[in-house]
Amino acid sequence: MSSYTHLKDETYYNELYDKFTIEECKRWDGKKGLEDLPTIQDKDPKELKIKISFSKNVVIPVALYAIKGERYAKKSETIRQWMERDRALDEKVANATEPRGIRCLVCSSPMNCISRDLYSDTKNKDQVLFMFECSTKGHKRRAYWEGGEEWEPKPDLCSKCKAVMYSSNVREGNIITTNYICPECDHRETDTLDLSPKEKKIDPNFEADRKKYCLSDKEGGEYITWMANAKHLSSLVKDREENKEVYEAVAKIKTLAIVDLQNLLNPLIEKAGYAKLEFRKPEVKKDLFVEFTIQDSKPGRVEYDSRHGLERLIKKTLEGTNWRLMSDGISYNLGFLNGRLRGASGEDHLKELITGKDADQE
Ligand SMILES: [Zn+2]
Ligand SMILES: [Zn+2]
């Protein structure tokens, strides 16, 4: 029993894919694609010359590079899908159940199945069709769909009056000529079928075109990296546009070193009745975290007033700077106050400080 396989060698798919790539690139390469560009349709000949030159030297090569690159990027996945599709077709043919008990219409002998293949049924769905042959030569073959329905030849209808036409075949060498005659209106039609084996046309430029238009693994890898960088860059630009206000705020932030911070706070806390601001050793994580202590120098102030007074003062003073009082607030013990500050530097960290993203995360 014969049946051709749908799945072919990987080389076949590889060359087929490259053939499509070459076709697509050729549409862009050279003069043809150039005239299609809307930017070219300009009346001023001087400007036209500049635009053509720009297209020739910049637009076309860049577009071509992107096409080559995209074709490369999708190549292995596309080939995988093609092979999977053809493998599934082969499986469908192999797993189909052969109809049993088919007999010859001439001599009633049991017929042998000689092939199974996929054909479009009346609903144009690919179905497995089995071909049966009688052991006596010349007896008409029969064909059955999987499931047991016999294949019916489609009647040839007259193009003028839709009646079923008579047909007769004449074979001369490898050419079969079919003549149709309509019994109703006498309309005639002729069809020819050439059975001579077709020579596979070899494109003499295929290898040269392939070299020109199909990227090697090295070049393809470079394209993919280039593309990833370009995408990253454009997402950065987009982020800048979308978060314009944040970036403007970041640009306005006053960045203070620890000594600047101390100089800023000292006169203000003294004025508010606190003293001896001291910083402990900072912890460097993504941002800088610094614990501080302060003494309350105002006699008779109660804990609540002392804590909240200092908290308000520090928060207000740090506005517009790269420092924040941390959310765990300020604690108080017998006139000693302490709390923690977070200092950010660098655009990304300042942006997080402003948006409150990552707030107080250590
Ligand atoms: Zn027979
Ligand atoms: Zn007719």
Side-chain angles (χ1 to χ4, degrees), residues 156 158 163-168 179-189:
D156 300 298
C158 172
V164 177
M165 297 207 285
Y166 293 133
S167 65
S168 61
N179 296 303
Y180 301 91
I181 302 168
C182 174
E184 299 291 326
C185 71
D186 212 33
H187 173 65
R188 280 150 205 260
E189 282 174 30

Side-chain angles (χ1 to χ4, degrees), residues 266-277 294-298 301-311 313 332 335 337:
N266 268 338
L268 296 169
I269 59 167
E270 270 162 36
K271 215 172 139 195
Y274 301 93
K276 291 191 178 163
L277 169 64
I294 282 183
Q295 292 174 28
D296 192 331
S297 57
K298 191 172 177 184
R301 181 154 51 184
V302 297
E303 175 184 341
Y304 182 89
D305 294 344
S306 182
R307 263 192 317 120
H308 286 272
L310 186 62
E311 215 171 284
L313 173 74
Y332 176 96
L337 297 127

